[in-house]
Amino acid sequence: MSVTRHRGLTEPAADAAIDAACRNLRLPTMRGQFSELADAAARDQKTSRGFLAELLMAECDDRNRRRAERRIKAAGFPREKALRTFEFDANPAIDPAAIHTLASCDWVRKGLPLCLIGDSGTGKSHLLIALGTETAMAGFRVKYALATKLVNERVEAADEKLLTKTIARYGRVDLLCIDELGYIELDRRGAELLFQVLTEHGEKNSVAIASNESFSSWTKTFTDPRRCPAIVDRLTFNGNIIKTGSDSYRLATTRARQQTTAGS
């Protein structure tokens, strides 16, 4: 099939043709930036190949950004948290190098678990959401849930005979982030369903949990004496364990900000 060449187009006609083509091909960034980049290319005396490469890269970069935004939205994070806003100086118990190594997402590629263990206010949820966000930005599918909400969803799905469908939906996720594990004691059924979530997902993909209870205290959540050691073993074998300590990160951060405000 021969390609029709349009020669001798005036500049307004060429602009109109480019706009129509970008609409037809669904290239919104190229459509929006073409004129500006074309003018810049002319000023900088770029070659046509250089100009085309810059235009295509702008489209690819913006498309990747939109995809990342959709993955972050689909994760269901309750609020926005980023590693750049985490004040490591406020919690010296946390090693910045270890956290930034986790941000590379190599552990997610390998399907390994992550445990963030520490008292309330030590930055566990911030790190869980921030690392989950980094994972979504890297192209992985992520889902965030409170432990109690996850259990309640499973209970409702089981009652409505939709448990298999719910399990399949979570099975498509590369990283499951479970927050506030251990805050509330679960009944036997709830503990069994949560155990099911952790074992089923952990066999294929990564699980990241944040808990205010040490592993030895998980018997409050998993009351079956056989369940607790099994789940601790699964979450710690070849996994990453970050202990956030007992000193409140939020309190230290607040005090630091107050001192900065008072000194200014």
Side-chain angles (χ1 to χ4, degrees), residues 144-240:
Y144 169 96
L146 295 175
T148 50
K149 186 176 180 181
L150 185 61
V151 169
N152 290 336
E153 182 182 355
R154 286 272 175 139
V155 170
E156 291 175 4
D159 291 341
E160 297 173 8
K161 303 186 185 306
L162 297 172
L163 188 56
T164 301
K165 184 178 180 179
T166 303
I167 292 172
R169 186 172 72 249
Y170 278 100
R172 294 190 290 269
V173 174
D174 299 304
L175 172 63
L176 177 60
C177 299
I178 303 177
D179 205 355
E180 297 187 1
L181 179 64
Y183 276 72
I184 299 177
E185 294 184 20
L186 302 173
D187 60 22
R188 186 178 184 85
R189 187 186 186 197
E192 288 177 353
L193 287 170
L194 182 55
F195 177 83
Q196 187 181 25
V197 170
L198 293 169
T199 53
E200 288 175 353
H201 195 85
E203 288 177 355
K204 301 176 183 178
N205 301 309
S206 291
V207 176
I209 65 99
S211 177
N212 66 325
E213 296 285 355
S214 62
F215 294 122
S216 61
S217 299
W218 281 18
T219 50
K220 297 176 183 177
T221 300
F222 303 101
T223 53
D224 187 328
R226 296 171 299 174
R227 297 263 191 245
C228 191
I231 198 62
V232 170
D233 181 68
R234 182 172 295 279
L235 288 174
T236 56
F237 182 70
N238 286 333
N240 302 279

Side-chain angles (χ1 to χ4, degrees), residues 8-9 32-34 37 46 57-58 78 86 93 109 125 148 161 163 170 174 177 199 218 236 244 249 255:
L9 288 176
Q33 296 188 20
F34 170 80
L37 291 178
K46 290 182 179 178
M57 285 190 294
F86 190 86
R109 293 184 185 90
S125 292
T148 50
K161 303 186 185 306
L163 188 56
Y170 278 100
D174 299 304
C177 299
T199 53
W218 281 18
T236 56
T244 59
Y249 162 82
R255 286 174 175 170

